[in-house]
Amino acid sequence: MKIGFFDSGLGGLVALKAVARALPDYDYEFYGDTANLPYGDKSEEEIFELTKAGIVHLFSRDCLLVIIACNTASAETLRRLQDGFLKDKYPDHRVLGVIIPTLEELVTLGLKHALLVATTRTIASGKYERELAKLTDAPLITARATPELVPLIELGEAEAALGSLIATIKGVGEVDGVILGCTHYSVLKDKLRAGFPTLCFISQDEIIPNKLADYLERHPEIKSQLSRESTRNVFLTDNSSRYDQVIRELLGGAFIEQ
Ligand code: DGL
């Protein structure tokens, strides 16, 4: 069986690329809901239904374990999916999110005050702050919604997105780190680090590979069922040819299923 990745668009391919590089033998299926992007300003109910549909698709493609790479979907649906839907319908399958691993990294790094940038819906959910409070009293999180970034990045206009994010960071003042709390923002990390050399940028593509490897070590009952033929498959709900180049750049010559 395979490892699935769910995202609202193409941004999650950055995380998949990092995971597939670290754990190359496994078989990976990616589901990008490009027909419904962006999720960041949708209602909780809409996000739940769309995410559930993507996960059912990934399960039907023989995925045993699905990583919800999308922060917005992780924030709004993960608990509900795990507690209700999975227990009732797919008790042997697993769905993991990206927010708690990101917060664990924040705590490990010992940051005192981090800026969280994410979609409107992720920020409004308060999920980062709630989960952090379960781990520790510190650090402090200042949250800023940056809804303009995803559409720009999906269209390949990374420079415009970078300019906007730089202005947000400068506007916040004293922080020692920035959580890139959206799959798409990882593509900006190198330029951000060059522009703000004293700030620590937390980018999920750098966290998820180790967290997944660790999860598989702790769950041999899952690991032992995973096939290892190094296949990668990308499914997009809107499979427009304008995405081909982005997919090629991120994953090489991945097969694109209609
Ligand atoms: N992939 C989503 C996330 O990580 C953002 C994109 C969207 O708004 O759909 O939050």
Side-chain angles (χ1 to χ4, degrees):
M1 297 181 86
K2 304 176 194 171
I3 299 174
F5 270 74
F6 172 89
D7 191 31
S8 58
L10 299 184
L13 284 170
V14 179
L16 169 55
K17 181 184 181 186
V19 167
R21 196 188 294 134
L23 302 169
D25 296 347
Y26 294 111
D27 296 307
Y28 297 97
E29 284 278 328
F30 181 86
Y31 179 101
D33 196 4
T34 41
N36 293 299
L37 181 96
Y39 279 18
D41 45 16
K42 288 190 169 33
S43 72
E44 183 179 344
E45 201 53 36
E46 278 178 291
I47 295 168
F48 179 77
E49 290 303 327
L50 291 170
T51 305
K52 194 170 77 174
I55 287 170
V56 168
H57 173 94
L58 287 167
F59 287 168
S60 77
R61 298 280 307 171
D62 204 28
C63 292
L64 176 63
L65 169 71
V66 171
I67 296 166
I68 301 185
C70 179
N71 286 259
T72 311
S74 287
E76 293 290 15
T77 69
L78 187 62
R79 279 272 180 266
R80 208 170 143 196
L81 282 169
Q82 286 173 334
D83 292 346
F85 168 71
L86 274 196
K87 273 196 186 128
D88 292 348
K89 298 225 159 64
Y90 297 93
D92 300 330
H93 290 65
R94 297 289 178 272
V95 176
L96 307 174
V98 288
I99 292 180
I100 293 171
T102 305
L103 290 169
E104 287 170 353
E105 181 73 4
L106 176 70
V107 173
T108 302
L109 288 168
L111 298 182
K112 304 263 177 301
H113 183 185
L115 167 66
L116 166 67
V117 283
T119 66
T120 304
R121 181 50 58 187
T122 299
I123 300 294
S125 76
K127 176 87 172 172
Y128 269 89
E129 291 87 340
R130 261 198 323 282
E131 293 297 337
L132 182 63
K134 292 181 196 165
L135 295 175
T136 169
D137 294 341
L140 186 67
I141 287 184
T142 293
R144 290 282 183 276
T146 42
E148 69 286 1
L149 300 187
V150 168
L152 289 172
I153 294 168
E154 285 279 322
L155 290 172
E157 293 180 28
E159 282 303 317
L162 182 68
S164 175
L165 190 46
I166 287 173
T168 302
I169 295 169
K170 285 186 174 160
V172 165
E174 283 296 296
V175 289
D176 52 5
V178 180
I179 303 169
L180 300 175
C182 173
T183 46
H184 292 63
Y185 303 175
S186 296
V187 299
L188 306 174
K189 67 181 178 182
D190 292 340
K191 290 191 172 162
L192 288 169
R193 283 175 177 148
F196 297 94
T198 60
L199 285 186
C200 177
F201 286 89
I202 299 182
S203 185
Q204 291 167 334
D205 59 311
E206 296 166 359
I207 299 170
I208 303 308
N210 281 345
K211 293 287 182 187
L212 178 59
D214 180 52
Y215 176 88
L216 293 175
E217 287 314 311
R218 287 184 289 109
H219 294 274
E221 76 287 2
I222 301 288
K223 185 179 174 183
S224 62
Q225 294 186 68
L226 295 174
S227 51
R228 295 171 178 237
E229 292 174 15
S230 302
T231 62
R232 285 98 177 87
N233 192 39
V234 176
F235 173 85
L236 302 178
T237 50
D238 167 13
N239 193 13
S240 155
S241 57
R242 71 196 161 103
Y243 298 131
D244 292 357
Q245 182 61 23
V246 184
I247 294 170
R248 259 195 299 277
E249 278 167 17
L250 287 172
L251 280 190
F255 170 64
I256 302 166
E257 183 213 348
Q258 295 292 336

